[in-house]
Amino acid sequence: MSWPTISKNVDAFPVQPNLLDYAAVRAGFTWAEARTALSGLPGGRGINISYEAVDRHAAGARASAEALRFIQANGSSTSMTYAALAEQTSRFASVLRGLGIGRGDRVFSVLGRIPELYIAVLGTLKNASVFCPLFSAFGPEPIRMRLQLGSGRALVTTRALYRKKVSQLRASLPDLRHVLLIDSDGDPEPGTLDLARLMLEATPYGETAATAPEDMALLHFTSGTTGKPKGAVHVHDAVVAHYATGRYALDLHPADIYWCTADPGWVTGTSYGIITPLVHGITTIVDQEEMDPLRWYRILTEEQVSIWYTAPTALRMLMKSGSGEAVRPDFPALRFIASVGEPLNPEVVMWGQKAFGQPVHDNWWQTETGGIMIANFAAMPIRPGSMGRPLPGVDAALVARDENDKPVMHEGTAVLVNDPDAVGELALRPGWPSMFRGYLGEEERYRRCFAGGWYLTGDLARRDSDGYYWFVGRGDDVIKSSGHLIGPFEVESLLMEHEAVAQAGVIGVPDPVAGEVVKAFVELRPGWDPDEALRRDIIGFARKRLGTAVAPRLLDFTAALPRTRSGKILRRLLKARELGLPEGDTSTVEVQG
Ligand code: AMP
């Protein structure tokens, strides 16, 4: 079914949107001009994300303004001003310096959304070191893999998370010199340091280290179809895009109270849960708890959230709970809702209008792009189901693909799909500041992302005659569950470590709330019976090692997995069978499982 366009009456808006005339702003936009909104380091010493996000506000009129407001389990909150954040982050930078952790060294975290995480991210950047936040629901295996690939020098975590997930890995992590526990309470675990004590002893006055625009700042791991997770490298200059996209795609204004529900373990929670709102000098809400419909409605109301950036899975959970109607919440401050990470059903866009008096504005981006690339803007009509139009400064196109899913090239140029509504691979012209600068240590994998001067996103999309982009699907086998990207290979490899498992194939199957859930197909070793006890044992093994965010929720036994003659598991065939879809060309299939 096609959904009616949602038009906007800008005159009725409480504030004038930052982007009123799309064509005019695009035509006049340059990244050089966008850069002038930022301060740069004093004395022309370069640009530093942390300086733009914290110190320039702390040194000016916003010093005593509320930067971060943390909502605790019982609903009470603690606040941190820009001045306090500047002091705490300087102390953290000084702790790192004291430990011999310097320029370019990687600092990791495994933490929930607590103040120490935010201080660690920004303090690390102040020290010219590189931060890599890991999701606290990861199990030991994803943590080990990422610490190893990123050569983590220091890790910030809690005692409980350390005991449960990290202590047993220490022997396999020779680069990891220091583990800083935030809650040692004067009694550190063996092999760890007491961060609270070190913070007290550290100087709060350190100057932000000089960093050049191209210096590495953040490392975010993402998943591909094959091989290990990829560490996408982001640089300090990305802050220019964070500022500009916050202005245009999220319509941030100085008096806003902003809530991004994403965890900093995923790129949205760092780019838009930390950097963007702070660079704009506004107040950011951080909920320390997991998603709960009534709690979320309460936060939106009581904290007077004006701009809310969330995800389709969360919106679907709210919609399903029906609790909005039950508590009749009122959102007088709320003026803009945006969503990212997975396809946003038109029904949810419309429900937003009913439940919040605001439609939901879908936008699109990915770990590699570092910031929002395509969006539905505040002042512009929404076409429910569409991701919107490219940001000012972003050139998008659709590249034709051949039967092997490779870009079609003609005389060194990528062939573009220009017919309205024809499908191609979504591609972006490199040049925006938050674009990743490489996959850590994997030059070839990085190079393969480009063709004929375009960055290929791996997503399939179409564009209508008015330039709105519509998501069609992933061009690969990567799974999106509750907004989290999961590499099937990482799950398959772990499953094969279970003594009963000979082979595993992992796919995403549709789920009405999570978008997709991870499903494993397992071929057993001889002598094992495919019974319910074993099924539960394998799922339990995966949950313990991979964590709940990554482990399969469903598992079927199969006598033989479909493979190509070269032995590659045909996940697409598994999926087609699971969904009862046509199996396509199976001429290269070795085992008809
Ligand atoms: P990540 O790198 O984990 O942020 O995941 C990025 C991927 O999420 C994209 O390549 C898309 O496949 C998917 N994605 C992000 N935003 C959207 C959206 N608005 N609609 C559909 N898929 C999306």
Side-chain angles (χ1 to χ4, degrees):
M1 109 173 240
S2 80
W3 298 79
T5 297
I6 301 176
S7 51
K8 306 283 185 67
N9 176 10
V10 175
D11 295 336
F13 284 14
V15 292
Q16 177 163 299
N18 291 325
L19 185 66
L20 268 177
D21 182 336
Y22 179 72
V25 174
R26 264 186 82 79
F29 183 92
T30 64
W31 287 110
E33 166 71 18
R35 189 167 278 106
T36 61
L38 301 172
S39 306
L41 281 168
R45 295 182 306 123
I47 189 166
N48 184 290
I49 293 175
S50 195
Y51 184 82
E52 302 298 336
V54 184
D55 291 284
R56 67 174 181 146
H57 302 306
R62 311 270 314 144
S64 55
E66 192 181 11
L68 294 163
R69 187 185 303 165
F70 295 91
I71 317 293
Q72 285 143 357
N74 64 6
S76 66
S77 61
T78 52
S79 289
M80 205 181 286
T81 62
Y82 279 94
L85 193 55
E87 188 207 308
Q88 292 292 310
T89 50
S90 291
R91 283 183 189 273
F92 190 84
S94 135
V95 167
L96 294 183
R97 270 197 306 281
L99 295 173
I101 293 166
R103 184 171 295 278
D105 287 339
R106 257 85 77 179
V107 177
F108 280 63
S109 65
V110 179
L111 286 172
R113 291 177 297 279
I114 53 175
E116 288 84 348
L117 170 57
Y118 295 74
I119 292 164
V121 174
L122 296 159
T124 298
L125 299 179
K126 242 180 191 181
N127 192 46
S129 307
V130 174
F131 202 82
C132 180
L134 297 182
F135 194 36
S136 58
F138 273 161
E141 199 51 32
I143 292 174
R144 182 191 58 77
M145 176 82 85
R146 286 158 179 77
L147 274 165
Q148 267 176 355
L149 291 171
S151 309
R153 284 283 287 272
L155 170 72
V156 188
T157 187
T158 65
R159 186 194 296 273
L161 289 168
Y162 179 71
R163 281 187 180 163
K164 197 165 157 206
K165 306 185 178 194
V166 184
S167 58
Q168 72 270 38
L169 308 175
R170 287 299 286 273
S172 61
L173 298 169
D175 290 335
L176 184 63
R177 306 265 172 81
H178 304 290
V179 173
L180 301 155
L181 295 191
I182 63 155
D183 53 356
S184 292
D185 294 328
D187 173 27
E189 294 280 306
T192 71
L193 296 166
D194 180 343
L195 180 60
R197 190 178 60 77
L198 293 173
M199 287 284 281
L200 276 179
E201 292 165 358
T203 168
Y205 302 117
E207 188 178 51
T208 301
T211 42
E214 290 301 308
D215 281 355
M216 184 172 166
L218 293 158
L219 182 63
H220 280 293
F221 282 94
T222 183
S223 299
T225 311
T226 55
K228 297 171 179 164
K230 307 175 274 189
V233 171
H234 290 283
V235 298
H236 279 276
D237 207 37
V239 68
V240 176
H242 294 141
Y243 183 85
T245 53
R247 179 169 154 72
Y248 292 130
L250 300 176
D251 198 38
L252 299 181
H253 283 66
D256 276 322
I257 295 188
Y258 166 85
W259 183 23
C260 169
T261 60
D263 188 280
W266 307 96
V267 70
T268 307
T270 306
S271 290
Y272 292 99
I274 306 179
I275 301 170
T276 299
L278 294 179
V279 173
H280 276 263
I282 61 175
T283 300
T284 292
I285 303 292
V286 180
D287 183 21
Q288 301 188 181
E289 291 298 299
E290 290 316 306
M291 199 267 168
D292 169 77
L294 285 179
R295 181 179 172 87
W296 276 32
Y297 285 123
R298 235 185 353 255
I299 290 175
L300 287 168
T301 313
E302 289 174 10
E303 306 302 332
Q304 311 233 352
V305 173
S306 58
I307 308 276
W308 185 34
Y309 194 19
T310 188
T313 293
L315 290 165
R316 287 190 291 262
M317 284 165 83
L318 286 175
M319 193 171 150
K320 194 172 146 215
S321 76
S323 41
E325 287 96 86
V327 291
R328 297 216 173 283
D330 185 15
F331 311 101
L334 192 61
R335 67 175 180 83
F336 187 75
I337 309 175
S339 153
V340 72
E342 344 149 37
L344 181 68
N345 336 38
E347 294 87 341
V348 181
V349 178
M350 307 305 289
W351 170 79
Q353 183 103 359
K354 223 173 63 195
F356 302 105
Q358 307 282 334
V360 182
H361 297 74
D362 189 15
N363 60 50
W364 178 97
W365 60 289
Q366 54 181 194
T367 304
E368 287 84 347
T369 70
I372 302 170
M373 296 284 106
I374 293 178
N376 285 284
F377 301 94
M380 263 147 267
I382 294 182
R383 302 202 166 159
S386 161
M387 311 186 288
R389 291 189 278 181
L391 268 278
V394 173
D395 282 332
L398 299 171
V399 169
R401 287 171 36 127
D402 65 18
E403 60 282 4
N404 297 316
D405 300 339
K406 298 272 179 304
V408 180
M409 300 291 290
H410 180 69
E411 294 176 356
T413 340
V415 174
L416 301 185
V417 174
N418 287 317
D419 292 344
D421 293 324
V423 175
E425 179 167 359
L426 181 60
L428 302 162
R429 183 72 83 188
W432 70 96
S434 65
M435 163 140 175
F436 74 135
R437 300 301 199 269
Y439 291 128
L440 195 68
E442 294 198 87
E443 183 56 35
E444 174 55 26
R445 229 171 164 186
Y446 177 65
R447 226 179 35 75
R448 282 203 306 268
C449 298
F450 298 88
W454 291 96
Y455 162 65
L456 303 168
T457 67
D459 282 358
L460 303 178
R462 61 190 175 83
R463 183 179 57 232
D464 66 22
S465 51
D466 294 309
Y468 279 76
Y469 281 79
W470 300 72
F471 183 79
V472 170
R474 296 272 320 174
D476 57 22
D477 295 337
V478 173
I479 301 159
K480 257 275 153 140
S481 185
S482 301
H484 302 153
L485 209 58
I486 296 168
F489 183 77
E490 200 175 355
V491 182
E492 288 161 1
S493 308
L494 188 278
L495 287 172
M496 283 166 60
E497 288 186 27
H498 188 283
E499 55 181 347
V501 177
Q503 289 281 350
V506 167
I507 60 168
V509 296
D511 179 88
V513 175
E516 286 186 307
V517 294
V518 179
K519 175 160 187 178
F521 292 85
V522 162
E523 221 179 277
L524 292 175
R525 288 179 188 281
W528 290 87
D529 287 332
D531 57 22
E532 183 54 23
L534 182 59
R535 206 180 62 80
R536 266 194 260 126
D537 188 67
I538 298 173
I539 289 186
F541 170 82
R543 287 171 71 91
K544 191 158 167 242
R545 296 280 298 276
L546 291 169
T548 46
V550 184
R553 201 168 318 154
L554 306 167
L555 188 147
D556 274 1
F557 294 112
T558 172
L561 287 163
R563 279 186 223 115
T564 59
R565 289 188 205 290
S566 59
K568 234 168 92 181
I569 289 166
L570 274 166
R571 301 191 190 105
R572 268 172 222 198
L573 192 52
L574 277 175
K575 191 152 180 169
R577 288 177 182 175
E578 176 72 14
L579 304 182
L581 299 171
E583 296 192 358
D585 179 10
T586 53
S587 57
T588 59
V589 179
E590 178 78 349
V591 183
Q592 296 283 340

